[in-house]
Amino acid sequence: MQTVKVMDGIEKILRNNKNWADEITAKDATYFEQLAQGQAPEYLWIGCADSRVPANQLLGLNPGEVFVHRNVANLVVHADFNSLAVIHYAVEYLKVKYIIVCGHYGCGGVQAAMSGNRFGLVDSWIRHVNDVIKIHGPELAKLDEPEKFDRLCELNAIEQAIHVSQSPPVLDAWERGQQLSIYAMVYDLKDGLLKPVADPITSPQESKLVGE
């Protein structure tokens, strides 16, 4: 019986996929043929893996218009070759113009880091959110719990954007004169709106200023 339920779930998404593809080709018969020729997105989105934060939909962009990397708590860790490979490919080969690091209010990874409890394997990953807590401890200590949680979501996005700006692919791009702007934003699940939480970073000098 359980196998039937699992198959029902897969059949549902396959039907949805077929309907979606049919709707698009009904409007433009060559849409997927053109899309298969390549991608040239202007945006790299680094966001949380939370299922409620879909990059293309909330940005109002179509397939092929945003390059996406997602993980728990939208972290950019210097030793994580996964995120660095995405940044390198997006910057050097796709020539994106904008990198958006987007957190979201109510982030489970941020909340787990704040709690101080142990959750298993994920603890090794969200330890990097604990680093953000240590950096901004004096500011966070002045806030009550709900405000502290929201502010940490914002500060985490800002710190990860700084990490992006200090990554070798981005520094190399700026050195060769490539135009590239990095934004820290937070998405509000309650109203569906994006909120910039820091000035954009467009040079190594600005990266240092944001980090102070």
Side-chain angles (χ1 to χ4, degrees):
M1 195 67 178
Q2 186 176 1
T3 304
V4 173
K5 290 183 179 179
V6 171
M7 286 303 296
D8 285 346
I10 297 300
E11 289 297 330
K12 175 184 176 181
I13 64 171
L14 290 175
R15 288 194 300 269
N16 290 346
N17 169 251
K18 180 65 164 58
N19 292 337
W20 171 74
D22 289 344
E23 289 176 5
I24 290 178
T25 51
K27 298 175 182 177
D28 182 354
T30 64
Y31 179 86
F32 290 109
E33 292 179 11
Q34 294 175 10
L35 195 64
Q37 299 304 311
Q39 58 175 327
E42 291 190 348
Y43 306 90
L44 166 59
W45 170 278
I46 300 175
C48 184
D50 192 296
S51 62
R52 300 167 294 176
V53 191
N56 281 76
Q57 289 93 325
L58 67 88
L59 292 174
L61 297 176
N62 294 316
E65 294 184 315
V66 55
F67 200 58
V68 177
H69 177 72
R70 298 170 68 176
N71 60 50
V72 173
N74 47 273
L75 295 173
V76 178
V77 180
H78 293 305
D80 176 24
F81 287 99
N82 188 348
S83 61
L84 289 178
V86 170
I87 294 169
H88 176 254
Y89 186 79
V91 170
E92 185 161 337
Y93 295 99
L94 297 179
K95 305 296 183 185
V96 297
K97 297 178 181 178
Y98 311 97
I99 300 178
I100 300 170
V101 179
C102 188
H104 66 95
Y105 296 120
C107 178
V110 172
Q111 188 175 38
M114 279 186 61
S115 74
N117 297 325
R118 294 182 60 187
F119 295 92
L121 182 62
V122 74
D123 294 341
S124 297
W125 182 250
I126 61 174
R127 180 182 61 80
H128 300 288
V129 181
N130 291 111
D131 292 340
V132 178
I133 294 174
K134 292 177 183 177
I135 292 170
H136 297 279
E139 176 185 351
L140 293 169
K142 299 175 184 177
L143 302 175
D144 293 331
E145 206 63 29
E147 291 80 12
K148 182 185 296 186
F149 185 15
D150 285 350
R151 184 54 179 159
L152 182 54
C153 291
E154 295 173 353
L155 291 170
N156 184 51
I158 293 170
E159 289 296 330
Q160 306 316 314
I162 293 171
H163 292 174
V164 173
S165 73
Q166 296 171 346
S167 66
V170 170
L171 293 174
D172 290 344
W174 280 332
E175 186 174 343
R176 60 178 176 260
Q178 186 173 333
Q179 291 187 344
L180 186 62
S181 301
I182 302 164
Y183 292 80
M185 298 187 185
V186 174
Y187 177 69
D188 195 333
L189 296 168
K190 296 178 181 178
D191 59 19
L193 297 179
L194 284 173
K195 174 185 175 183
V197 290
D199 292 333
I201 305 172
T202 61
S203 70
Q205 293 75 24
E206 290 177 359
S207 173
K208 294 176 182 177
L209 290 174
V210 173
E212 291 179 349

